[in-house]
Amino acid sequence: KNGDIGRAAPPNVAAPGWSDGVDVRLAPTTLGKLRHVLGELHDGLEGRPEDALVRRALALLGELETDDSARGRHEEALRASEARFRLLSRVTSDAIWDWDLVTDELWWSEGFETLFGYSRDDVENSIASWTSRVHPDDVDATVQSVQRAIHDGKPSWTGEYRYRRKDGSYAWVLDRGWVICDEGGTPTQMIGGLADLTARRETERQLRRQARLIDEARDAILVRDLEGRVVYLNARAESLYGWTAAEAKGRDVREMQFACALEEFDRANDEVIARGEWQGELRQVRRDGTELLVEGRWTLVPGEEGEPATVLAINSDISERKLLEERVFRSQRLESIGTLAGGIAHDLNNVLAPILASIAMLKLDESDPERLEDLTTIERSAYRGAQMVGQLLSFARGAGGVHEEVDVSRLVQEVARVARDTFPKSIQVRMALVDRPWWVSADPTQMHQVLMNLCVNARDAMPRGGRLDVKVANVVLDEMYAQMNPQVVPGRYVVVQVEDTGEGMTREVFDRMFEPFFTTKPVGKGTGLGLSTAHTIVREHGGFIDACSEVGVGTTVCVYLPAIDSERDDRASDEVKRPSFGGGELVLVVDDEPAIRTMVKRTLERFGYRVLLAAHGAEAIATYANASERIDVVLTDMAMPVMDGPATIIALQAIDPSVRIVASSGLDDGARAALGARVKHFIAKPYTGQALLDILYTAIHG
């Protein structure tokens, strides 16, 4: 310095005025001049001790030139990087920000203006400008999450929140930031960007709304690929088939839903692939193995490039609807049966009436017990046939039966006799009757129907044979029993127990045994009306049915009927009742059936009556007008040609208001027609001779 080189310190010793750690920066030309001067000094001092200091200066100068060159390159790279950052912040649609954690200064890119409508000049250059625009409901949680990320030394942070636009509305944004630390690891800077999620959020909301609508659909919606693998299930499909969407995804729909109808599925699937759509009914199976019937609407859905990709299946469960339709069809068939029964009841009863009316005459002259028993059997069979026709008509049209005092044990004996004669010989029929059974108030025909239904069901439950036990007993049900069975009224009951050793019923079948139209029998073998009808009849009689069953052991059904106080002598029922003779009274018989007129005439004349005959109402009016003073009673049919019964009755009452009339009909509405015509006495066809004599005696003598 100043040419005083001789006083320079030796190598490796710091010279006076020098200090370490000083950042020296010289222009390239200055460095070149300095190198030139030092080179000349080196040449002049070569071999002298001072030359060592010159060489050290040249080495230091070389290091200085190297550091300065590297620094220049670094600064140039930094300027290029900053230029790229600025350019990137312009071309991206996000709002890029740069936050100085030391000074809290915040820089925004031009995307900030685009997204939120602000000018960068309108926004203060501090972090407060950001927090003040975060939605009040989101600001605390968002700021805390950022601070927590910085404090915990996390390299990045991500959050979603609402940010206020210049117009006051809020945009949902996705904010992502990266933390930059100095050489000591202290966070000094954070750079990130905001992306507007408002449109995406709205789309997601609409998708969720559409998904809820799909889940709320009453139809089962399923999407599967062309290989049959399930892609999607809605909530209704989950509940219908018993599979969750996660469980069903990827499963083969053939195994999952169509194990019971693979051929039907293959035909429908081939059609939807060939034609693009299919519609029809298909049998499917639930996860628990139960079958159901669905109405399917399948559509082939193309992929992004237009090629077939998936099948959209919309299935409606029509199992209940089909069941209701079947019930309606069966009801219509029953109505048809009722109409048919109504059409033939009159003619059939007219056929049975002469048979029943003649029995009384045949019994009158018969003393042989065996012949009397045969006549009684004929009479009961004919009468039972007539009652069955009437019962069928009443059941189809909803009419109730006529109750009378009934000895249930005698009905059981009749049913057991029919069972022994008609059931397979492999079934043993046994009876156990109480010595003096109580009587019940019931319709004998309906009770006969109940017992026959129970016995027939027992027979069907024993296809390989077995034992059928029918028992009758008297029981008293107390208050305790009634408390355990709310449908029971305490009191005296006659119980009929029908027990078989058949296959028994499962719990599912047992729970539905009294359900109308429910049957386990094949199509054409049963209607499902037997037990339901029996249950209805017993309840209408004030009783109830109790049952138990065990698979492989058998079934026991008990019918409880309320007992009544009766003064009837059971022994008297075994005797043949002898009809009372008439005293020469004159009876006008009006009927369009010649066989009935003839048989009634013969029966009445045999028992002391005189008889006049008329084939229809007009003839009866003429006959009565000529002999009204001599005629004691008129027996008239209600359904006749020319002039029917109601019109005839009105005409007779017009001629003689005090005329005694007994109406007769084989139709279920005959009694109502007679009542409408103000007739007190009515006898249903077909009637026995005894019943005819009784009603005539009552009409004449009161």
Side-chain angles (χ1 to χ4, degrees), residues 160 172 197-206 208:
E160 290 187 15
W172 274 101
L197 299 181
T198 306
R200 193 182 81 180
R201 281 246 176 178
E202 178 63 22
T203 301
E204 292 175 351
R205 189 186 69 83
Q206 292 181 358
R208 287 193 298 270

Side-chain angles (χ1 to χ4, degrees), residues 93-95 115-116 165 171-174 194-200:
S93 59
D94 295 346
L115 289 183
F116 306 112
R165 300 187 181 98
W172 274 101
V173 297
L174 172 63
L194 278 76
D196 191 349
L197 299 181
T198 306
R200 193 182 81 180

Side-chain angles (χ1 to χ4, degrees), residues 318-331:
I318 60 173
S319 303
E320 290 294 331
R321 191 185 78 187
K322 280 294 182 180
L323 181 60
L324 291 176
E325 289 178 356
E326 290 179 3
R327 291 180 178 178
V328 170
F329 293 152
R330 288 174 178 173
S331 299

Side-chain angles (χ1 to χ4, degrees), residues 435-644:
D435 291 338
R436 295 181 64 84
W438 295 329
W439 291 67
V440 300
S441 176
D443 182 337
T445 302
Q446 290 184 342
M447 286 297 104
H448 191 277
Q449 178 184 0
V450 169
L451 297 177
M452 281 302 304
N453 281 337
L454 296 180
C455 291
V456 168
N457 279 349
R459 177 202 65 187
D460 295 340
M462 298 183 288
R464 291 177 294 277
R467 188 178 66 253
L468 172 61
D469 291 327
V470 185
K471 304 175 184 178
V472 179
N474 300 329
V475 297
V476 177
L477 304 181
D478 56 13
E479 294 288 347
M480 182 178 296
Y481 187 93
Q483 290 178 0
M484 293 185 295
N485 300 273
Q487 77 275 15
V488 176
V489 177
R492 302 191 312 157
Y493 286 83
V494 177
V495 57
V496 181
Q497 177 178 304
V498 180
E499 181 179 359
D500 66 69
T501 58
E503 300 172 344
M505 291 180 281
T506 63
R507 172 54 58 182
E508 293 76 15
V509 174
F510 183 82
D511 291 340
R512 302 181 63 186
M513 63 183 297
F514 296 121
E515 183 178 324
F517 301 108
F518 173 74
T519 179
T520 58
K521 299 175 183 177
V523 177
K525 298 294 184 180
T527 62
L529 288 172
L531 287 178
S532 63
T533 302
H535 187 260
T536 301
I537 292 174
V538 172
R539 290 189 61 183
E540 289 177 350
H541 281 74
F544 64 96
I545 297 180
D546 192 13
C548 62
S549 183
E550 184 176 350
V551 176
V553 176
T555 301
T556 300
V557 180
C558 296
V559 177
Y560 291 81
L561 298 171
I564 61 172
D565 295 327
S566 177
E567 298 179 355
R568 296 182 58 172
D569 187 353
D570 297 340
R571 294 169 296 179
S573 61
D574 294 332
E575 301 175 358
V576 178
K577 185 177 179 180
R578 298 291 177 173
S580 302
F581 283 82
E585 294 89 346
L586 183 60
V587 181
L588 174 58
V589 179
V590 187
D591 202 297
D592 61 314
E593 287 291 331
I596 294 179
R597 292 198 305 270
T598 301
M599 185 54 61
V600 170
K601 182 176 183 297
R602 290 178 58 188
T603 300
L604 293 181
E605 289 177 346
R606 183 70 180 273
F607 288 96
Y609 290 93
R610 296 176 297 131
V611 179
L612 295 176
L613 299 178
H616 48 74
E619 185 177 348
I621 298 300
T623 302
Y624 190 84
N626 293 328
S628 59
E629 295 181 356
R630 296 185 294 116
I631 296 176
D632 295 287
V633 64
V634 178
L635 174 64
T636 179
D637 189 17
M638 297 300 290
M640 299 180 295
V642 182
M643 180 182 286
D644 62 7

